[in-house]
Amino acid sequence: MNCERLSDRMAAVLAGSDHWSREEEEHLSVCADCRAEWQLLARGAALGAGLPSLDAGRIGSMVQQRLAAERRKARNRRRAWVVAPLAAAAAIVLVVTRPGEKPASGQGPVATRLEIPFTELDSLSASQLQAVLETLEPPLGSSSTLDAPSLQDLDDHQLERLLRSLEG
């Protein structure tokens, strides 16, 4: 009798899908190693005999439901990060515009003033700044920068006026 062959069959016999032959039963009674292995497997199988059987399908559906609930929670948390700043911005707009009040002097609810620092213009007087302002025709951004006026585009009268304003 081959001990390895008997060891390989022990699980099938324990599960009830196979039976020992007369020769194998005799070997188990004589061979101490095979008998010890058989007893160990039999005791191990008896440990789980009292436990209820697991319903894999029910457990799988419960896991899927939990995962779906967690995904919904995560999605709601992401939405909160997007919606909260938008709600704050809307609240600020409501506070600034104060519903029911009319804006002063026909302006919109929020009047903004754009200031662009030009350090070159800091030392000019009011008349000099007026001369520079008159050389600018349309509001900035209303035409292409390729068409922007330069000193070469000024006529004699405009150049003379600019020079006089720089001398004074």
Side-chain angles (χ1 to χ4, degrees):
M1 174 59 54
N2 185 351
C3 290
E4 285 182 32
R5 184 175 160 269
L6 188 71
S7 179
D8 290 342
R9 290 182 19 82
M10 284 184 186
V13 172
L14 193 60
S17 61
D18 204 352
H19 299 300
W20 294 126
S21 68
R22 191 173 63 79
E23 186 179 292
E24 291 168 335
E25 285 179 1
E26 286 176 16
H27 180 77
L28 278 173
S29 63
V30 178
C31 180
D33 289 337
C34 289
R35 186 172 52 251
E37 184 179 353
W38 173 247
Q39 288 172 350
L40 179 67
L41 285 175
R43 285 184 191 146
L47 289 176
L51 295 176
S53 63
L54 298 176
D55 184 4
R58 187 174 65 90
I59 292 171
S61 68
M62 287 172 51
V63 168
Q64 288 177 342
Q65 288 172 356
R66 277 192 184 173
L67 289 173
E70 287 299 319
R71 277 190 225 113
R72 282 191 297 273
K73 285 181 187 177
R75 194 176 319 121
N76 289 340
R77 282 191 295 267
R78 282 192 303 268
R79 283 184 189 151
W81 281 104
V82 172
V83 172
L86 292 176
I92 290 170
V93 168
L94 288 175
V95 168
V96 170
T97 58
R98 296 183 186 167
E101 288 186 17
K102 291 188 177 182
S105 70
Q107 293 180 352
V110 179
T112 58
R113 181 176 163 195
L114 178 63
E115 292 184 18
I116 303 173
F118 288 105
T119 56
E120 301 86 17
L121 301 177
D122 285 346
S123 62
L124 298 179
S125 67
S127 62
Q128 292 170 332
L129 286 173
Q130 184 62 37
V132 171
L133 183 61
E134 288 175 2
T135 62
L136 302 174
E137 295 178 312
L140 295 176
S142 64
S143 62
S144 169
T145 55
L146 297 175
D147 300 331
S150 67
L151 290 176
Q152 294 154 347
D153 295 334
L154 298 176
D155 62 14
D156 291 339
H157 177 69
Q158 291 171 328
L159 279 173
E160 185 178 321
R161 189 170 175 188
L162 180 62
L163 287 173
R164 262 192 256 132
S165 68
L166 290 174
E167 292 172 2

